[in-house]
Amino acid sequence: MRDIKVYTNLFDGGLHNGQLKWTSYIQPGRAGVDVEWLYTGDETGPDGAEAYIAHFRPGSHGDLHEHLGYEVLLILEGELHNDNGDRYPAGTLFVEQPTSVHQVSSP
């Protein structure tokens, strides 16, 4: 058996053509974020990784938080702001190391 997820044209309208099934990401201190889960902690185990495609709606944010593992972000459209003043436009990929502390928002 082969179980595979394929997403096409993410840089060319694929975020909004119905292939992603956005669900609200409910988490304390987070507002205005929807996700398409790629895999969850339920699938990878209590210490396993999670991955999702996130949509930060205008004005969305997360509270200041620490990551216990790596975080990889690829900005597909729009811009993401970090609490240290960094701004990440579409096409930016950044990697946060374990124990990184940050707060991100979408203008």
Side-chain angles (χ1 to χ4, degrees):
M1 181 173 117
R2 182 173 181 209
D3 189 5
I4 183 171
K5 293 180 182 181
V6 176
Y7 301 95
T8 59
N9 301 316
L10 291 179
F11 289 105
D12 189 27
L15 295 174
H16 308 288
N17 67 5
Q19 71 177 320
L20 299 173
K21 307 301 180 221
W22 299 112
T23 58
S24 294
Y25 187 27
I26 307 299
Q27 191 179 48
R30 189 175 302 264
V33 180
D34 300 316
V35 298
E36 161 79 6
W37 284 100
L38 304 176
Y39 50 89
T40 69
D42 290 341
E43 296 168 284
T44 61
D47 296 321
E50 297 179 329
Y52 51 81
I53 300 170
H55 175 237
F56 283 73
R57 288 180 261 140
S60 63
H61 66 84
D63 281 351
L64 189 67
H65 60 279
E66 177 181 6
H67 286 272
L68 302 178
Y70 286 92
E71 180 179 47
V72 178
L73 287 99
L74 172 61
I75 311 306
L76 298 172
E77 68 178 18
E79 187 174 73
L80 194 66
H81 295 183
N82 208 335
D83 65 304
N84 68 356
D86 288 347
R87 293 172 180 243
Y88 308 111
T92 302
L93 173 75
F94 68 96
V95 179
E96 296 262 5
Q97 301 291 315
T99 71
S100 292
V101 177
H102 72 159
Q103 179 180 14
V104 296
S105 62
S106 179

